[in-house]
Amino acid sequence: MDVDRVADLLAAHRRVVVLTGAGVSTASGIPDFRGPQGVWTRDPEAERLSHIQTWLAEPDVRRRVWRQRLAEAATRPAPNPAHHALVELERLGRLELLVTQNTDGLHLEAGHEPERVVEIHGTNRRVVCLECGHLQDMDEVLERVAEGDHDPHCERCGGLLKAATVSFGQPLSPRQLARAHEAAADAELFLALGSSLTVFPVAELPRVAADAGARLVIANAEPTPFDHVADAVLGEDLALLLPALVERLR
Ligand code: NAD
């Protein structure tokens, strides 16, 4: 049984590094991109909206996205049992680093120590000015949208504002990427959770860990391109699987 095997691996290794993707947040009501109900599976045109060029060139898209963010702010998703289980893993002293591709901010909201989390694709809880780099809370900007500023610009320099996420066509932070690589190379056990492992360079982290000698566990509802290098592959729902695994550790 792979679940028993993974429970044994967790019990036997202390330096655990975790990579999460959109599948960790689906139980919070946030659709993934490439799963059967994913945003891009249902509407391939939606992928275009994730490119920085679209944001820079299309004021209509910006207005639509700000409006949508404002509408969604009233019913913000909450962390689910998968997020809480990973916080428990940290409290048990087993989590070295959590690298997340998610931009929803739910890992930090669940209660991790911020220095144990790398939000490698940024966060939509904050907004950045693309000219001067000024950062502010999303809610501050949404207040302006609610007051009728439908394409808000930076109050300091007039530059274009965008959620502080990494869109396609934007570079990842070299410092954060280096930290994720170092942790992967130094891990005893690497868990890749809820990710299709198709967005590079993050998707190469499981292989970096395995090549450096870590045991590799992949838990995802669908097959990934790295399943063949993993020590164990699990397809269970993460909101059930992770609490069960962490419970066994106690
Ligand atoms: P992805 O959509 O490519 O893959 C998610 C995978 O999770 C799918 O293969 C799906 O089968 C699996 N999955 C869904 N629910 C699951 C569950 N309950 N249990 C187990 N597996 C489950 O997502 P990705 O690999 O993270 O890459 C998508 C990119 O899009 C990332 O860069 C991320 O920044 C962004 N994204 C973020 C969010 C978010 O912040 N919540 C949501 C969608 C996309």
Side-chain angles (χ1 to χ4, degrees), residues 20-27 30-36 38-40 101-106 121 124 166 168 193-199 219-224 235-239:
T20 66
V24 167
S25 290
T26 50
I30 305 174
D32 59 23
F33 280 173
R34 300 179 187 79
V39 175
W40 295 351
Q101 301 172 85
N102 296 343
T103 54
D104 53 36
L106 291 179
H121 291 161
N124 61 30
V166 180
F168 285 116
L193 308 174
S195 172
S196 61
L197 299 179
T198 51
V199 179
N220 197 57
E222 295 171 291
T224 80
E236 283 84 352
D237 182 347
L238 288 161

Side-chain angles (χ1 to χ4, degrees), residues 6-54:
V6 174
D8 290 346
L9 284 171
L10 263 177
H13 295 97
R14 296 209 75 80
R15 275 201 315 284
V16 181
V17 174
V18 175
L19 169 66
T20 66
V24 167
S25 290
T26 50
S28 295
I30 305 174
D32 59 23
F33 280 173
R34 300 179 187 79
Q37 296 303 315
V39 175
W40 295 351
T41 311
R42 289 154 66 108
D43 175 15
E45 161 70 5
E47 185 170 356
R48 201 176 65 83
L49 301 182
S50 299
H51 287 261
I52 186 67
Q53 272 314 323
T54 309

Side-chain angles (χ1 to χ4, degrees), residues 118-200:
V118 169
E119 291 177 313
I120 196 103
H121 291 161
T123 176
N124 61 30
R125 299 289 176 99
R126 308 206 77 195
V127 170
V128 67
C129 170
L130 296 175
E131 287 297 325
C132 71
H134 175 59
L135 278 166
Q136 56 191 316
D137 284 344
M138 175 62 76
D139 288 343
E140 282 175 41
V141 177
L142 290 182
E143 264 176 42
R144 288 170 55 193
V145 179
E147 286 161 7
D149 188 355
H150 298 301
D151 184 14
H153 283 60
C154 181
E155 287 177 318
R156 295 189 174 186
C157 77
L160 205 57
L161 296 182
K162 188 181 96 56
T165 56
V166 180
S167 299
F168 285 116
Q170 287 189 294
L172 298 188
S173 150
R175 196 175 50 80
Q176 292 203 329
L177 191 57
R179 192 161 171 233
H181 261 262
E182 269 165 37
D186 199 37
E188 290 177 342
L189 176 62
F190 189 99
L191 310 179
L193 308 174
S195 172
S196 61
L197 299 179
T198 51
V199 179
F200 286 83

